């Protein structure tokens, strides 16, 4: 066994820029983390899985929503109803991925142990604006740093034409008019709408995130995001992992601001899960104290 540390495909300066963007905008992108044979194997796995598993109509806007556990995690608690595969362990435990996440300053990294295969089939429809946080009653959702991030690899180069990701920078910390009109993400109400619903509309502040195959996209679960339709004849799949970070009430070791008041609230209080942002999502952030 070699004891070489994993290749960290991000210089320290770039890591700081990425961290600052994740904090300010709610997402960042690190190029070329998944490469070569491993990228090929993940793409082949996702392609085969999508070829073999029809997608329920209710998932047409997400393109697919297949949750797959790592083999070792599944063996520890076998459940015949759940998909599982060894390559998922490889992804979750991928040393370069962990090295990048740590380089940008993510601490207390804790994986759900699985991936989700999402997709945009050829000529597939857009994905509505949404945020994926399910803990808006919990004080952790009011913090200036993330406590849950997704890490995604698109498996082909993405552009507006084939349905790249879109984001509304800063909306992980700041309420917008869109929050008031969006039904909860991935629930029956939004799944039943047509694409002329305002949840699909263009927004003046939106940006395209044109990830290339194997780039690692980090996003705060709270940030509003969407995806363009796929206007090509080629599938545009991705694999997404959920990670918890900075377990409440810990602050990042590098945090230099004031400690948020919410940190003193009971971490184990009974906060009913909800996808609907309440008082923890402020209309605007107060200016930093000078
Ligand atoms: O398809 C994408 O690019 C993003 C998918 C997504 O955000 C979701 O399904 O929650
Ligand atoms: Fe999402």
């Amino acid at each position: 066994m070699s004891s070489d540390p994993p290749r960290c495909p991000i210089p320290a300066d770039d890591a700081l820029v990425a961290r600052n963007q994740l904090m300010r905008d709610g997402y960042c992108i690190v190029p070329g983390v998944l490469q070569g044979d491993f990228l090929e194997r993940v793409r082949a796995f996702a392609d085969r899985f999508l070829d073999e598993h029809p997608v329920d109509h209710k998932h047409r806007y997400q393109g697919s929503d297949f949750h797959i556990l790592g083999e070792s995690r599944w063996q520890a608690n076998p459940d015949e109803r759940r998909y599982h595969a060894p390559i998922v362990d490889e992804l979750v435990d991928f040393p370069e991925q962990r090295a990048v996440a740590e380089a940008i300053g993510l601490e207390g990294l804790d994986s759900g142990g699985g991936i989700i295969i999402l997709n945009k089939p050829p000529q597939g429809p857009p994905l509505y604006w949404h945020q994926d946080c399910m803990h808006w009653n919990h004080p952790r959702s009011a913090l200036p740093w993330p406590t849950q991030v997704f890490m995604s690899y698109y498996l082909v180069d993405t552009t507006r034409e084939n349905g790249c990701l879109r984001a509304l920078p800063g909306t992980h910390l700041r309420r917008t008019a869109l929050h008031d009109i969006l039904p909860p993400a991935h629930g029956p109400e939004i799944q039943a709408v047509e694409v002329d619903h305002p949840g699909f509309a263009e927004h003046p502040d939106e940006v395209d995130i044109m990830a290339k195959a194997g780039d690692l996209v980090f996003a705060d679960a709270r940030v509003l995001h969407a995806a363009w339709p796929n206007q090509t004849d080629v599938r545009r799949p991705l694999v997404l992992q959920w990670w918890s970070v900075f377990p409440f009430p810990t602050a990042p070791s590098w945090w230099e601001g004031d400690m948020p008041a919410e940190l003193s609230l009971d971490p184990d209080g009974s906060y009913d899960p909800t996808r609907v942002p309440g008082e923890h999502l402020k209309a605007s952030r107060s200016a930093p104290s000078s």
Side-chain angles (χ1 to χ4, degrees), residues 235-247:
R235 165 191 288 161
R236 186 236 59 174
L238 73 136
V239 291
L240 179 150
Q241 301 163 51
W242 282 111
W243 286 79
S244 297
V245 292
F246 309 116

Side-chain angles (χ1 to χ4, degrees), residues 114-195:
I115 63 166
I116 306 176
I117 299 181
L118 297 156
N119 188 30
K120 189 66 68 194
Q123 306 298 335
L127 174 62
Y128 40 75
W129 288 107
H130 68 282
Q131 45 77 26
D132 293 301
C133 175
M134 296 173 43
H135 306 285
W136 282 107
N137 283 340
H138 194 287
R140 61 188 254 199
S141 298
L143 299 176
W145 55 83
T147 58
Q148 194 186 19
V149 293
F150 65 72
M151 299 188 198
S152 288
Y153 300 101
Y154 289 81
L155 301 174
V156 296
D157 292 353
T158 63
T159 60
R160 190 178 280 212
E161 200 196 0
N162 72 353
C164 72
L165 186 65
R166 308 149 67 183
L168 271 172
T171 51
H172 57 314
L173 303 178
R174 201 180 54 245
R175 190 177 283 279
T176 65
L178 200 49
H179 283 103
D180 295 332
I181 59 121
L182 286 175
H186 312 325
E189 191 182 341
I190 189 80
Q191 285 173 339
V193 303
E194 301 299 326
V195 289

Side-chain angles (χ1 to χ4, degrees), residues 163-235:
C164 72
L165 186 65
R166 308 149 67 183
L168 271 172
T171 51
H172 57 314
L173 303 178
R174 201 180 54 245
R175 190 177 283 279
T176 65
L178 200 49
H179 283 103
D180 295 332
I181 59 121
L182 286 175
H186 312 325
E189 191 182 341
I190 189 80
Q191 285 173 339
V193 303
E194 301 299 326
V195 289
D196 59 359
H197 185 277
F200 292 93
E202 290 193 38
H203 193 286
D205 300 331
E206 70 174 87
V207 292
D208 285 351
I209 302 179
M210 289 188 277
K212 295 209 175 301
D215 291 353
L216 179 48
V217 179
F218 291 87
D220 189 310
R222 299 170 295 180
V223 78
L224 285 172
H225 55 285
W228 293 106
N230 184 354
Q231 296 176 288
T232 74
D233 292 326
V234 179
R235 165 191 288 161

Side-chain angles (χ1 to χ4, degrees), residues 23-63:
M23 295 290 290
R24 183 191 64 231
D25 295 341
Y27 64 88
C28 66
I29 179 163
V30 179
V33 176
L34 189 59
Q35 295 185 354
D37 172 66
F38 193 14
L39 172 60
E40 296 299 326
R41 288 189 299 115
V42 174
R43 186 190 292 126
F45 172 76
D47 272 337
R48 181 155 178 201
F49 198 96
L50 288 164
D51 287 344
E52 291 176 350
H53 295 83
V55 173
D56 193 309
H57 182 68
K58 72 181 183 197
H59 292 137
R60 65 198 174 286
Y61 296 129
Q62 285 179 285

